[in-house]
Amino acid sequence: LYLKRLFVLTLLVVALEGNVEEESIDHLHTRKELIQLKEEFRRFREEALMLKDHLERELKETRGIIEKVTGELKRETIERDPPNMFACGSSDHWRYMTNQTISYSKLLYFSTNLEEGGLDLATGVFTSSFPGTYSVTWSMIAEARDGKLSFVILKKNHQDIRETLTYSTYAGSELSYDQLGRTIFLHLEEGDTLELHCDDCSAGVDKTTFCVSLAQFDVI
C-alpha cells in the first residue's frame, strides 16, 4: 500500500512539472508574439508618418500649382477683358435735410463688366468691386439765403474726406443760387464704399449728380 501511494504521488509530481513546463512554454510563445506585434506596429507607425509627410508635401505643391494657374487665368482674363465701372446717379428735386446721405432718383449712366458693386440709388452708396484708382465727380445747385448752409462732403467707408468739403452760404435775405461741384481721384479696394453726405443741406440742394468711374485698375 505504501509503495502504491508513493507511485501515485510520483506520477502526480511528474504531471504537475509537465504542466508547469507547458505553461512556461506557452508564456514564452505569447511574449514572443507580443514583441513581434510591437515591432510590426512600430514599423507601421513609421511608414504612416512617412506617408503623412509625403501627402502633406504633395498637397502643398498641388495648392501652389492651383494658385499659380488661377492667378495666370485671372490675369489673362483681365488682359482680354479689362475691368470697367461707370456709374452716375442723379436727383432732380429739391432736398432739405441734415446729416443724411444723398440718394438718387435715376441712373444717368451705368456700364460695367463686373458682377458686383456699383451705385445703389436708394441708399446713395457706391461700392467698389475691383481695386484701383477711381474718379469721383459731383455737382448740384444750392439755395442760399438768410445764412442757411449747404454743407456737403464725400465719405469713404463712412468716414469724412475733409479735403472734399463743398459748401455754400449767403447772409442776405434775397434768394440766390450757387453751383457746387468737385472732382477727386481716390484709390479704392474691393468692397470700399463712397457716399455724398449732406452734413447740412437745410438751405436746399437740387439737380445733384454723382458719378464714379474706374480710371485705372490695379494689376493683381
Side-chain angles (χ1 to χ4, degrees):
L1 182 61
Y2 175 77
L3 291 174
K4 185 178 180 179
R5 289 180 177 176
L6 181 60
F7 178 72
V8 172
L9 288 172
T10 301
L11 290 176
L12 289 172
V13 169
V14 171
L16 288 172
E17 288 179 349
N19 289 337
V20 171
E21 184 176 354
E22 289 178 1
E23 290 178 1
S24 298
I25 291 172
D26 290 341
H27 177 71
L28 289 173
H29 281 308
T30 303
R31 188 164 181 266
K32 185 177 180 181
E33 290 173 355
L34 288 174
I35 292 173
Q36 289 176 347
L37 287 173
K38 185 177 180 180
E39 180 63 21
E40 290 177 4
F41 177 77
R42 184 187 63 79
R43 289 197 301 268
F44 175 77
R45 186 172 181 273
E46 289 178 353
E47 291 174 0
L49 290 173
M50 291 174 61
L51 179 61
K52 179 174 177 282
D53 292 340
H54 175 73
L55 290 175
E56 287 178 348
R57 288 194 298 270
E58 290 288 334
L59 181 60
K60 185 177 180 180
E61 291 177 2
T62 302
R63 285 174 176 169
I65 293 172
I66 291 174
E67 289 177 358
K68 182 179 179 181
V69 171
T70 301
E72 290 175 352
L73 289 174
K74 191 171 184 179
R75 283 190 292 272
E76 289 178 3
T77 301
I78 290 174
E79 290 175 359
R80 188 169 56 251
D81 187 19
N84 66 77
M85 170 64 75
F86 303 92
C88 193
S90 71
S91 176
D92 59 358
H93 59 276
W94 285 99
R95 314 284 291 276
Y96 302 90
M97 56 189 182
T98 57
N99 196 29
Q100 291 185 46
T101 296
I102 299 175
S103 59
Y104 307 97
S105 54
K106 66 178 180 180
L107 278 172
L108 284 178
Y109 182 74
F110 181 76
S111 176
T112 186
N113 59 358
L114 302 173
E115 295 181 356
E116 299 179 352
L119 180 62
D120 187 320
L121 297 179
T123 64
V125 176
F126 173 85
T127 303
S128 166
S129 56
F130 202 92
T133 300
Y134 284 76
S135 171
V136 188
T137 300
W138 64 93
S139 66
M140 64 189 65
I141 296 173
E143 281 189 1
R145 64 176 172 182
D146 300 328
K148 292 184 178 180
L149 295 172
S150 294
F151 193 129
V152 180
I153 196 165
L154 183 68
K155 288 178 177 283
K156 176 183 177 182
N157 296 331
H158 311 296
Q159 300 296 317
D160 289 350
I161 303 175
R162 301 303 301 178
E163 295 81 1
T164 65
L165 173 64
T166 308
Y167 69 93
S168 171
T169 185
Y170 177 58
S173 59
E174 301 86 0
L175 178 62
S176 66
Y177 299 95
D178 281 340
Q179 181 74 46
L180 308 181
R182 296 289 296 270
T183 296
I184 190 171
F185 288 92
L186 296 170
H187 185 273
L188 300 179
E189 297 291 344
E190 183 178 351
D192 282 350
T193 61
L194 295 173
E195 58 193 286
L196 198 58
H197 191 264
C198 266
D199 281 7
D200 185 352
C201 292
S202 56
V205 293
D206 189 18
K207 308 300 181 188
T208 304
T209 59
F210 178 61
C211 302
V212 184
S213 61
L214 177 57
Q216 177 63 57
F217 62 88
D218 287 352
V219 179
I220 58 176

